[in-house]
Amino acid sequence: MDNNFSIGNRIRELRNQKHLSQEQLALSAEITTAYLGQIERNEKNPTVAVVSKLCGALGIELSDFFSQKEIPQNELDSLTLQILYLVKNENDEVKQIILQMIKQALKLKRER
């Protein structure tokens, strides 16, 4: 990155690296697709809280977003990243319920 850091360009770059559509990233970050488009076109300047949500949805740390280091490619696909982002801040009881639901769904799939 150069000295003219662009939040919008960086988000687009990371979104494309993760093979996510604007809709997928916006949904996971709990913002509108229109707002994400405006951010990527540098028409809107997001708050740190919004950038943090986008980083979470992209599976990276906020510090890595502003870093000049190359972000290693995550081995997880975009849907797995979205699932992880949605449950990461839940308490252990909720996570346990979700785990049991996933196990049950996989069991039902295998029985088909």
Side-chain angles (χ1 to χ4, degrees), residues 11 22-40 46-47 49-51 53-54 57 85:
I11 291 169
Q22 282 186 337
E23 184 178 12
Q24 289 171 314
L25 179 57
L27 179 65
S28 186
E30 299 175 336
I31 63 173
T32 66
T33 305
Y35 184 45
L36 178 58
Q38 291 171 327
I39 293 169
E40 286 190 357
T47 64
V50 170
V51 174
K53 284 178 151 186
L54 288 163
Y85 179 71

Side-chain angles (χ1 to χ4, degrees), residues 1 5 7 10-11 14 46-69 71 85 88:
M1 289 184 294
F5 185 82
I7 289 175
R10 180 72 166 152
I11 291 169
L14 293 168
T47 64
V48 173
V50 170
V51 174
S52 181
K53 284 178 151 186
L54 288 163
C55 288
L58 290 164
I60 64 168
E61 297 294 324
L62 185 59
S63 59
D64 290 333
F65 180 83
F66 293 103
S67 171
Q68 294 197 21
K69 298 181 302 186
I71 295 176
Y85 179 71
K88 75 176 185 173

